[in-house]
Every structure is written in structure tokens, then in C-alpha cells.
Amino acid sequence: MNEKLPEMTDEKAVEIFKALANQTRVSILQLLKDPENNSAIQGHVSKDSEFEGGVCVGDIHKNTEISQSTTSQYLSILQQSGLLEAKRIGQWTYYRRNEAIIKQFEEYIRLKL
């Protein structure tokens, strides 16, 4: 299903810019860019799962220099902006980048800025 997303609004773009206005949140996105080849994170969900590329909150936290609660807050901000997707598997929550929204945001910047 290659469903085309609606065009990004200015309001949505501002929300994403706000989420990206913090170095640690940008670092989290960079960390999740290629989890299978990133030696800093080990606990990604396998290709056989329904959430390929997801990384456990604990593994993300280990790679930040902030508290667990701040890590969770930052992940929530990134998810609310649409830049991350989350899935609860068992007792753990996994996050991965929302590449469709990231590409849409890239297109927004290319066309409107």
C-alpha cells in the first residue's frame, strides 16, 4: 500500500521544526536512522516482526546523556510531531523513524522555503 500522504501544512511543519529545535532530539533521530548498522544500539526489532527497525526506549536512553524521564518526554515530542512511530511489544515500547513524514517534510522545505 503506497498511499500518498496529504500535503504538509504550515502548522505541521512548524510542529516538526519545534521538535527539531533540540540537539538531543536531533541526535535521537540520527541514532534511529539506520538501527541495524548502528553499533550504539543493540535492541532493535528483527525483520521478522511487525515493527521492523524499532528500537527499545532503554537502548535509546543508553545513548543519550539525559534522564530516563527526559528521554521519554523527548520521544513523545518526536512522536507527536510525526517524526517517530511507536509500538508496544510485550512490556517494552519501541520507536522508529517515520520515513514517510520525514520525506514529506523534506519536500515541504524544498518547495516552500
Side-chain angles (χ1 to χ4, degrees):
M1 296 172 72
N2 197 3
E3 197 173 305
K4 184 172 169 99
L5 294 171
E7 186 175 324
M8 182 166 289
T9 64
D10 291 342
E11 293 79 13
K12 182 66 176 175
V14 168
E15 186 179 351
I16 291 172
F17 280 121
K18 287 178 183 178
L20 295 174
N22 176 283
Q23 179 59 53
T24 302
R25 292 192 293 260
V26 170
S27 296
I28 290 169
L29 283 172
Q30 291 169 334
L31 181 72
L32 296 175
K33 187 171 184 176
D34 188 11
E36 292 177 2
N37 294 316
N38 189 334
S39 61
I41 49 180
Q42 304 296 320
H44 59 275
V45 179
S46 73
K47 289 184 179 182
D48 299 332
S49 80
E50 58 203 58
F51 202 66
E52 182 179 344
V55 177
C56 181
V57 172
D59 289 329
I60 295 168
H61 170 66
K62 287 179 199 172
N63 289 282
T64 64
E65 295 181 4
I66 55 177
S67 69
Q68 175 72 41
S69 62
T70 303
T71 300
S72 293
Q73 180 186 20
Y74 284 1
L75 289 168
S76 178
I77 290 167
L78 290 167
Q79 182 185 9
Q80 289 171 7
S81 74
L83 293 169
L84 291 183
E85 301 172 306
K87 183 167 183 78
R88 187 117 174 120
I89 301 175
Q91 66 187 43
W92 296 280
T93 302
Y94 290 83
Y95 287 88
R96 69 179 177 194
R97 289 165 42 119
N98 183 342
E99 295 298 336
I101 291 295
I102 292 170
K103 292 229 182 285
Q104 191 180 35
F105 182 61
E106 177 184 348
E107 184 72 2
Y108 173 89
I109 291 171
R110 189 177 71 74
L111 294 174
K112 296 208 175 184
L113 295 181

